[in-house]
Amino acid sequence: MRERVIQDLVSRHDPKIPPNYEDNFPTTVRVQIFIVSFDSISEATMDYSMSIFLRQSWNDSRLGYPPLAGIEALELDTRVMQKIWVPDLYFTNEKSASFHDVTVPNKLMHIHPKGEVLYSTRISLKLSCDMNLWKFPFDSQLCHVAMESYSYSMENVIFQWSPDPVQKRQDMSLPQFQFEKFETMDCTKMYIGANYTCIKAEFSLVRQYGYYMAQVYVPSVLVVILSWVSFWLDIDAVPARISLGLLTVLTMTTQSASARSNLPRVSYVKAIDVWMAMCLLFVFAALIEFAYVNVNARQERRRGTVHGGLKMGVPGSKPSNASIGSESSNAGTAEETNGRKRLFSKTTVMRQRARTLDKIARFAFPGVFVVFNLFYWNFYMFYEL
């Protein structure tokens, strides 16, 4: 009985013509999407992947048939579906998509006695998503999926969201984002002098930044703190201080390059760029502080060398006059003593200045870093454009 009804429907149905093509009203297609998976959100290419069941329902009076006992709807095989008209829906922000064909094409079509058609198919999509990354990795994104009719204007086909427009799998989870909410809207557009139906669903996604805290922020803080160890080393420990300074600078440079490797080259400054630049600035400033202290220490050593080379008198000389020789010797000794005092005083001041700078840096660098952290976390956590 069902076989004869299906054959009769197919024989008198033209899949090339919309249901109400000869009438004065369009066919209303109700759309629902069921999200199976939502993953692979890429900042570098600004897109995301989604696997959905796309469900469409409409009324086609040409497919009406007398009710059958014990049968609520006719269930069609995928080979018979090709002989039934379906809406020409397409995804406007789709980059790539594929139907699922294992083990058979994942499609479903039910036809009710009054001509009500339910059509469902499983699709995997890669959709574009315009992201604003200025707060990355503390950002939230709005990614959407938009559907339009490609060839039929609103005189023939109109898309509408079903009463329950978007559903998702109960245990669905995203690796880096939290699915907050969704909104549906109409996005009807005009092309070539006619209005074409369009509907859109917008998903609100909030990034989970735990990964970046563990892999970027905490290690960079430890590297900055490590650079402060230099201030507690003696000013004469040149190999240790220069090794520590260069190590921290190179480490921060490597971390900064690694943090930005998977991000697009946008024209604005991101939150992670500010953090990495400031951490690099702090470790570089610690290296510059060591260079200043080292310059003062080298000046002291040079003065010490000159002091060691001062003439202490020429032994074995024979003065022509004992009195004159005695006065000259006393005058030379006094001048040499005064020179030693001035040299000692100047070198002591320079050495003390270097040590004082180290003492100031021990507290100034952590203090400034704490102030920067207070400003950074408050600004990027609570400020919104």
Side-chain angles (χ1 to χ4, degrees):
M1 183 66 178
R2 282 179 289 185
E3 181 181 356
R4 291 199 304 269
V5 172
I6 292 175
Q7 291 177 349
D8 180 62
L9 292 178
V10 172
S11 63
R12 57 188 174 87
H13 181 80
D14 189 351
K16 300 185 294 294
I17 307 242
N20 305 309
Y21 194 75
E22 299 295 337
D23 301 325
N24 294 324
F25 61 92
T27 299
T28 299
V29 181
R30 295 171 296 279
V31 180
Q32 180 192 64
I33 58 176
F34 181 90
I35 303 175
V36 180
S37 64
F38 199 116
D39 49 20
S40 301
I41 303 174
S42 172
E43 296 82 12
T45 55
M46 290 202 176
D47 55 33
Y48 68 99
S49 298
M50 183 168 61
S51 181
I52 64 171
F53 290 112
L54 176 64
R55 297 166 180 167
Q56 305 173 74
S57 61
W58 65 94
N59 187 274
D60 191 341
S61 58
R62 299 173 297 177
L63 297 175
Y65 59 91
L68 302 176
I71 300 176
E72 182 179 351
L74 296 175
E75 301 176 357
L76 304 187
D77 185 82
T78 55
R79 288 161 289 190
V80 180
M81 295 179 196
Q82 300 175 2
K83 302 178 182 180
I84 304 296
W85 179 89
V86 295
D88 60 337
L89 180 147
Y90 81 103
F91 297 89
T92 58
N93 61 325
E94 172 255 326
K95 287 187 173 181
S96 62
S98 62
F99 291 101
H100 291 258
D101 297 323
V102 179
T103 59
V104 294
N106 294 177
K107 296 181 180 180
L108 172 149
M109 181 175 284
H110 292 173
I111 301 178
H112 295 265
K114 294 183 179 181
E116 190 72 19
V117 182
L118 171 64
Y119 176 62
S120 174
T121 180
R122 186 183 176 194
I123 310 174
S124 290
L125 301 157
K126 179 179 285 188
L127 304 168
S128 63
C129 177
D130 297 330
M131 301 182 185
N132 190 340
L133 301 172
W134 78 277
K135 287 185 66 175
F136 180 89
F138 312 109
D139 57 322
S140 58
Q141 303 296 338
L142 292 175
C143 293
H144 72 279
V145 52
M147 293 165 281
E148 294 184 21
S149 172
Y150 195 87
S151 59
Y152 294 113
S153 67
M154 295 186 68
E155 295 180 357
N156 294 293
V157 174
I158 294 178
F159 289 150
Q160 291 182 353
W161 286 109
S162 67
D164 189 10
V166 178
Q167 297 178 343
K168 64 184 182 69
R169 186 165 47 88
Q170 293 295 330
D171 58 341
M172 187 183 73
S173 62
L174 283 69
Q176 289 190 32
F177 286 85
Q178 181 178 350
F179 193 102
E180 287 288 307
K181 60 181 180 179
F182 69 88
E183 292 183 5
T184 58
M185 58 199 73
D186 183 84
C187 56
T188 299
K189 301 174 183 178
M190 177 175 286
Y191 300 110
I192 320 176
N195 290 325
Y196 287 80
T197 183
C198 172
I199 55 177
K200 181 169 71 172
E202 200 169 61
F203 309 109
S204 178
L205 307 173
V206 178
R207 190 184 303 275
Q208 303 298 300
Y209 49 84
Y211 169 83
Y212 296 95
M213 293 296 295
Q215 300 296 325
V216 177
Y217 285 89
V218 171
S220 58
V221 169
L222 295 179
V223 172
V224 172
I225 294 175
L226 180 63
S227 68
W228 300 341
V229 176
S230 173
F231 306 143
W232 297 87
L233 299 178
D234 188 79
I235 58 176
D236 295 324
V238 176
R241 296 188 67 164
I242 196 170
S243 299
L244 189 60
L246 291 176
L247 176 64
T248 54
V249 170
L250 293 176
T251 303
M252 283 306 309
T253 303
T254 304
Q255 280 192 341
S256 179
S258 176
R260 296 194 302 266
S261 60
N262 295 325
L263 297 177
R265 297 177 181 178
V266 295
S267 58
Y268 50 85
V269 179
K270 302 178 290 294
I272 198 168
D273 294 336
V274 174
W275 176 265
M276 300 307 294
M278 290 302 298
C279 289
L280 181 60
L281 179 63
F282 272 96
V283 297
F284 184 74
L287 184 60
I288 294 299
E289 190 273 347
F290 156 72
Y292 178 80
V293 170
N294 182 256
V295 166
N296 284 274
R298 284 190 292 116
Q299 287 180 350
E300 175 189 354
R301 286 196 295 270
R302 286 199 300 268
R303 292 192 179 95
T305 303
V306 173
H307 168 64
L310 288 176
K311 293 182 179 181
M312 303 301 294
V314 182
S317 60
K318 297 180 180 180
S320 58
N321 189 295
S323 177
I324 296 176
S326 177
E327 291 177 0
S328 298
S329 177
N330 291 336
T333 302
E335 182 179 354
E336 181 181 349
T337 302
N338 292 334
R340 288 179 179 178
K341 290 181 178 180
R342 288 194 300 268
L343 180 62
F344 177 78
S345 176
K346 195 167 186 178
T347 54
T348 303
V349 169
M350 297 298 292
R351 188 177 183 84
Q352 186 61 34
R353 182 183 300 173
R355 288 178 172 174
T356 302
L357 182 61
D358 270 349
K359 292 179 180 179
I360 294 174
R362 293 172 188 173
F363 302 97
F365 273 69
V368 175
F369 191 67
V370 168
V371 172
F372 162 70
N373 272 267
L374 292 175
F375 174 80
Y376 178 88
W377 295 105
N378 278 281
F379 181 79
Y380 284 107
M381 285 295 187
F382 304 110
Y383 181 75
E384 295 289 345
L385 283 178

